[in-house]
Amino acid sequence: ITIFFISNLSAQCFFQKSKQANYWVDSVFNSLTEEERITQLMIIRAHSNLGVDHIENVANQIKKYNVGGLCFFQGGPVRQANLTNYYQSISKTPLLISIDAEWGLGMRLDSVINFPKPMMLGAINNSNIVYDVATAIGKQCNRMGIQLNFAPVVDINNNPNNPVINDRSFGENKIDVIEKSKQYTLGLQAQNVMACAKHFPGHGDVDVDSHLALPTISKSFEELNNLELEPFKSQIKNNVSTVMMAHLSIPAIDTTQYLPTSLSKNVVTNLLKNKLKFKGLIITDALEMKGVTKYFPSGEASALALIAGNDLLCLPEQIEESIVKIKEAILQNKLSKSDFEDKVKKVLLVKYNLRLYQFKNIETENLIADLNSETIKLRTKISELAITIVKQENKNIIPLTSITKPFDVLPKVACINIGNGTENLFSRRMKLEYDADNYYYSQTYLKNDTVKNLIEPQNGITISDTKIKYELVKNILDSCLKLKKYDAIIISVSNFNRRPANNFEIGDAAFYLIKNISNLNNCISFFFGNPYAIKNICNAKNVIACYDEDDITQGFAIDFLNGRINAKGKLPVTVCNN
């Protein structure tokens, strides 16, 4: 109860008005030119890994336009901290610093360890851990001078072919997504870091990437209201400070051809602000994305976004053109002057309540150690809780030692590792603990490191994936099936792409091998990565989802195989009909 109270209190504090706050907001507002009031509503792109020219370009935009904020992307923590100090020092008005750090700052910065992706968090049965993760991410943001994290993703991923959300979602179960995204927001905002529920009104049921084109969702409003909108309703109830608008076409809400939801007054004002009563900051998804620019030039998109009801413009392509179009919209009363000024003062109020008027330099001593201080502990807890038995037809194969008699005799095990063709912690421990014969397959070559080769004539030959012959893979398959000495065959699938395009970049030859071995009763298949890849082996007998391929997760997979731990996870998405 205390945590809930504090979290909601901190969320409300972002917009709290007082005599001192009003004085600061009015004085800053009055000091701004008309153009600067417009640019206070703009967040521009910044990197710490693109060199001097990029730094000078960002600095010039800050000096020339007095932009409202920065969104940092790839780079390094020390470099970004130094740049934040520099950019804040040259800005006339304090900058709102933001980042897209859904699974922590490691998502963007080198030397920083990632937290697990939301899909893995969706597999655990303890939502309080999501609060702990978000709290730790909030501490990371505080350490780096970041006030706004564009997270959590509250989209319900009910389309397995979704190219842009997918494992960024907590899953397909509405109740689970609502609860876990709620805990994420509460944890982040308890650290006085603004959370951002995205992507309104729901980006989960698409098979087109809005970075590349405008996706269409052809559901009725009733369907949207009962599913996609539910997590946003919960977020609003729990005082999320910010909502990000998606670039989607949803005819059930707005029939205007090619008009993305981010630029639609029906969606932003009528639905989000009026119907759902959201009072916080509304920000567009990046206006440089093709879902917008394909149909609306940058300046026009910026003006339409503010007319629609957005408060902040994320990554407008052309600042000059945007200023011109927004001034025209105000002059023509398409965007009322009072509404526009309210937006500017709302942003300034947030900056005041974040105490950006007294910005202190970010200290870089021990910075990387501080950013990584809580990650391993939480990763360890999550990895153990997430391991999921997707399917187990052979009830006697786990623990692995139970399949031989007497029980003190090790089973004879083959471990087929499908990944980058080299050993990893899983294969090393299989060798160490079971004296397993390890076989390696990658997209580019086949390799065998056992004393007795399975495919002696081809051993050591490098073969491109486009030219590989199924006969060669069949040789491995036939050899494994004929070697009756194996009590168990373990398949480890790792190092595959997290996105579903091109079937996760797992080659056809690899899946041919997996399919034909995984249907054996004495075979267990472990998937270290996006669980949607399991859709390729629906007839497998025994399948385990592990969600990540780091050493911690692979270690717990071995512990599970040995019977030292139980599998406590649940599959957050449907991978096969059965």
Side-chain angles (χ1 to χ4, degrees), residues 12-28:
Q12 293 163 2
C13 283
F14 297 126
F15 305 99
Q16 184 175 341
K17 292 184 178 181
S18 65
K19 185 177 180 180
Q20 295 86 348
N22 292 339
Y23 176 80
W24 187 86
V25 168
D26 288 341
S27 62
V28 173

Side-chain angles (χ1 to χ4, degrees), residues 108 130 180 276 279 332 346 496:
R108 298 298 180 189
V130 180
K180 287 188 165 71
L276 300 185
K279 305 299 182 185
Q332 296 168 7
K346 190 176 185 180
F496 55 93

